[in-house]
Amino acid sequence: MSNFNNEEILHVKKGDFEYLQFKKLNKYSDRLFHAITLRHGGVSSGEYNSLNFRVSGKDSKENVLKNLNIVCEKTNIDNEKIYKAKQAHTSNILILDNKNKEEYKFKNFNEDEYDGYITNTVGIGTLVTVADCNCIVIYDPVNNVVANVHSGWKGTVAKIYENAINLMQKKYNSKMEDIIVCFGPSIRKCCFSSKENSFKERFTSIWKNESEYISYKEDRFFIDLVYVITRDLLELGIKEENIIDSKICTMCNSNDFFSNRASKKRNSDEFGTFALVTMLI
């Protein structure tokens, strides 16, 4: 069993159930709960083994709801206070409050397409699912506002994280110097690769100086998504000391985290997803 404890990450184990937390955010644990689940301790099987949250594959919604209940029971969170829309690799951000939250209850499996959430309301928990994409917590401890963001390569190209931060600034008066940004496990430069120049151009058309974030090995190139996001965050005015990276690659650690690419390497079209949960308390 792996241990991911380091200077930035706390690895919590409660029997078979495991999750990660950022030590920087735990300084505000009286106001903010957050957890990144590992793939252990759930009820799903096969490629979804075992704590799966993906409902668009062949795993049953019943299993996913049971998995959510396990997370909530182990972390003392009310499962009726977890909210989610449909993820579709968009740059759409949903602001959740007491007026609109009911339609987005997790168990409703809402089909509206959002890949990030913002709230300043206590008792609203949001959940994003990932299986190589970046899961990002963005927290303003001064105004007590939190964003929970899913940013795969499409969301990164669309700069969904900037959309979230800009909304926090406009709606809640968040200041760049106060905001904390934390990157959960995701596919890293060691494994995020392609041969297609047209794919590479999606990035080089936006971020110049490609030698800073693209490397080559034989006929493949490798892209560092966390680097380009971090560069954007610094340009926005986020402090370097407030950008925290778990430095965990999902593909390298696919025994502990779901990885779409690792599943494909096993010639499987099916894959599960793990979750990032945030809630103001």
Side-chain angles (χ1 to χ4, degrees):
M1 187 176 289
S2 301
N3 190 324
F4 294 101
N5 284 304
N6 59 40
E7 66 275 9
E8 307 289 4
I9 294 292
L10 180 67
H11 184 176
V12 182
K13 302 179 183 181
K14 296 184 176 182
D16 292 335
F17 172 67
E18 304 176 49
Y19 62 96
L20 305 181
Q21 293 184 315
F22 294 97
K23 293 178 180 178
K24 181 102 175 177
L25 294 180
N26 276 350
K27 294 177 182 178
Y28 309 98
S29 60
D30 60 327
R31 289 180 280 157
L32 173 69
F33 170 80
H34 72 289
I36 301 169
T37 64
L38 278 69
R39 62 182 296 173
H40 314 303
V43 301
S44 303
S45 60
E47 285 289 345
Y48 303 100
N49 183 38
S50 64
L51 195 71
N52 168 56
F53 290 94
R54 182 170 178 241
V55 296
S56 58
K58 294 180 181 178
D59 196 13
S60 70
K61 290 182 177 179
E62 180 183 4
N63 282 346
V64 171
L65 289 174
K66 287 180 180 178
N67 289 335
L68 177 65
N69 289 342
I70 289 167
V71 173
C72 292
E73 287 172 7
K74 294 287 187 178
T75 58
N76 297 316
I77 295 292
D78 185 348
N79 65 357
E80 290 292 324
K81 295 181 178 179
I82 301 297
Y83 304 91
K84 189 182 187 304
K86 180 181 179 180
Q87 289 175 205
H89 298 279
T90 69
S91 59
N92 300 337
I93 304 290
L94 174 64
I95 295 175
L96 275 169
D97 56 31
N98 287 328
K99 294 177 182 177
N100 68 346
K101 67 181 184 181
E102 289 304 311
E103 62 186 296
Y104 295 102
K105 274 191 175 183
F106 189 101
K107 66 182 181 181
N108 292 339
F109 301 106
N110 187 290
E111 289 290 308
D112 294 348
E113 294 183 352
Y114 292 97
D115 284 79
Y117 309 92
I118 298 173
T119 190
N120 71 337
T121 304
V122 170
I124 290 181
T126 63
L127 185 150
V128 300
T129 58
V130 285
D132 282 336
C133 298
N134 287 290
C135 55
I136 306 172
V137 186
I138 305 172
Y139 182 55
D140 170 6
V142 174
N143 294 291
N144 202 34
V145 181
V146 66
N148 189 354
V149 176
H150 161 254
S151 183
W153 72 260
K154 291 179 181 178
T156 299
V157 167
K159 302 198 177 189
I160 185 174
Y161 45 90
E162 288 193 0
N163 288 355
I165 291 170
N166 289 336
L167 277 171
M168 290 170 69
Q169 186 179 40
K170 291 175 183 176
K171 186 170 177 64
Y172 303 105
N173 199 34
S174 295
K175 294 179 171 55
M176 298 300 173
E177 61 265 28
D178 298 324
I179 290 173
I180 301 166
V181 182
C182 299
F183 292 91
S186 62
I187 194 167
R188 300 305 171 111
K189 186 178 181 180
C190 52
C191 297
F192 184 50
S193 68
S194 177
K195 296 180 180 180
E196 301 297 328
N197 280 328
S198 59
F199 183 64
K200 183 178 70 173
E201 287 168 2
R202 292 176 181 265
F203 300 90
T204 57
S205 64
I206 299 171
W207 297 281
K208 310 305 178 184
N209 302 319
E210 65 177 82
S211 61
E212 295 180 6
Y213 64 93
I214 296 178
S215 60
Y216 294 84
K217 185 177 180 181
E218 298 172 350
D219 60 343
R220 302 190 72 86
F221 58 86
F222 297 76
I223 301 176
D224 190 340
L225 290 181
V226 172
Y227 178 90
V228 296
I229 297 172
T230 299
R231 196 166 88 178
D232 285 346
L233 294 173
L234 292 170
E235 289 178 0
L236 282 175
I238 307 297
K239 292 181 179 178
E240 186 173 2
E241 62 265 30
N242 284 342
I243 302 173
I244 311 300
D245 183 11
S246 66
K247 298 180 181 177
I248 298 170
C249 177
T250 45
M251 188 167 182
C252 290
N253 295 280
S254 60
N255 288 333
D256 291 300
F257 300 95
F258 290 106
S259 168
N260 183 11
R261 288 208 172 197
S263 292
K264 286 180 178 177
K265 196 172 181 180
R266 295 191 295 269
N267 296 316
S268 174
D269 292 330
E270 296 301 314
F271 63 93
T273 58
F274 61 97
L276 166 60
V277 180
T278 65
M279 178 186 282
L280 298 176
I281 54 178

